[in-house]
Amino acid sequence: METVAPPRFIQGQGTSEACWEPYINASVLPSGTVTDLIHPSGTVHIVAPHPDDEVLGCGGMMQQLSALGVPVCVWAVTDGERSHPPTPGRTMHSLARLRTRESEQALAILSSAICRYAVQLPDGAVSAAEEQLGHYLSMKVKKNDTVFAPWRLDGHPDHEAAARAALYAAQQQGCRFIEVPIWGWHWADPNKGEFPLERALRIPLSADELKRKTLAIHQFHSQLGIDEQTNQAPILPDYALVRYLRSFEVVLL
């Protein structure tokens, strides 16, 4: 983890893609492949704090891994039931079912071989169950596996707690641990040295992989539009989506 962490606020439109481009283009940021990241005989575990995080951060890499015959398991830490406030016509339980269905549909587009497991910790309260989650995940991973989780400074408390728990599990079993920025693209400013570019690696996506990832992301209807019941703005407006629809994904080693 970086030794000095600035305040991490997810507000406004965040750092623009134009600001990121000079730091993450192909001539600056080194590129690699998924085979550089994993042990050839292991399983890849994607730890997703909320339904959609797995696709936003790893939608392209999951396709590549599945095409290589690498087993991929997605651990859905929460069901995302607090992304919108409950209303007379929508309970947290019904929103959880909806978001779970969106995730299942998105993963099916990426690959029929991806396995998804629901941990069902309370949305918004992963920090309180961090130790429990760490022990749970440590029983699911094995020595030659690779664990992907959000960046430990991603800015969302659930993301950071899930990342710490995933790191604990990986360390317990001697697995490789890889971080994937999700909301970190929003709060961090590369001009201020707030992003660990020295640890970053680009994983290029083919045109077909990006097309499938885009289609998968658009399964998350609850996050992409104005909420009809509360008029809440989209969780993933266009200025945020552009960060996940690049022709590459970025991991932190």
Side-chain angles (χ1 to χ4, degrees):
M1 181 179 290
E2 285 62 53
T3 55
V4 178
R8 303 185 291 284
F9 301 115
I10 301 174
Q11 58 189 18
Q13 294 194 9
T15 304
S16 70
E17 187 68 359
C19 180
W20 282 109
E21 203 284 330
Y23 294 90
I24 60 175
N25 66 61
S27 64
V28 174
L29 203 64
S31 294
T33 69
V34 290
T35 56
D36 297 325
L37 305 178
I38 66 168
H39 191 286
S41 64
T43 294
V44 169
H45 301 268
I46 312 288
V47 179
H50 310 104
D52 72 7
D53 291 324
E54 71 280 21
V55 178
L56 297 176
C58 303
M61 290 184 286
M62 284 193 284
Q63 293 179 70
Q64 295 174 358
L65 291 163
S66 294
L68 292 170
V70 177
V72 177
C73 296
V74 171
W75 298 96
V77 177
T78 80
D79 292 335
E81 67 275 10
R82 291 187 178 274
S83 67
H84 297 78
T87 68
R90 181 186 59 212
T91 64
M92 287 195 296
H93 182 62
S94 65
L95 183 56
R97 291 201 310 270
L98 171 61
R99 296 201 63 190
T100 296
R101 185 164 63 251
E102 291 173 342
S103 175
E104 291 171 343
Q105 292 169 342
L107 292 174
I109 289 170
L110 300 180
S111 171
S112 61
I114 298 172
C115 296
R116 183 184 190 276
Y117 302 97
V119 184
Q120 295 188 313
L121 293 182
D123 187 10
V126 178
S127 297
E130 181 180 325
E131 183 175 354
Q132 172 190 345
L133 177 61
H135 288 299
Y136 176 84
L137 292 173
S138 69
M139 294 186 292
K140 304 300 182 181
V141 303
K142 298 179 181 178
K143 183 176 181 180
N144 290 334
D145 293 350
T146 305
V147 179
F148 287 71
W151 182 23
R152 283 167 287 168
L153 299 182
D154 210 43
H156 190 299
D158 281 355
H159 286 215
E160 297 187 3
R164 292 190 298 266
L167 174 61
Y168 169 84
Q171 290 176 331
Q172 289 296 109
Q173 300 299 342
C175 299
R176 188 169 196 187
F177 177 71
I178 294 173
E179 296 173 275
V180 182
I182 299 174
W183 283 109
W185 299 116
H186 187 96
W187 76 261
D189 185 341
N191 292 316
K192 298 178 180 177
E194 295 175 345
F195 191 83
L197 289 163
E198 71 283 356
R199 296 202 287 124
L201 184 72
R202 288 168 54 109
I203 306 297
L205 310 181
S206 70
D208 184 62
E209 289 162 353
L210 179 57
K211 182 178 179 180
R212 283 181 177 272
K213 179 179 179 179
T214 301
L215 183 58
I217 287 175
H218 280 89
Q219 302 309 299
F220 297 100
H221 302 289
S222 67
Q223 309 300 293
L224 295 173
I226 296 174
D227 181 36
E228 294 180 355
Q229 300 197 38
T230 64
N231 289 322
Q232 177 177 316
I235 305 296
L236 293 171
D238 289 344
Y239 63 79
L241 278 178
V242 69
R243 303 167 186 143
Y244 313 116
L245 296 176
R246 298 168 177 152
S247 61
F248 57 93
E249 291 171 344
V250 176
V251 297
L252 301 175
L253 304 180

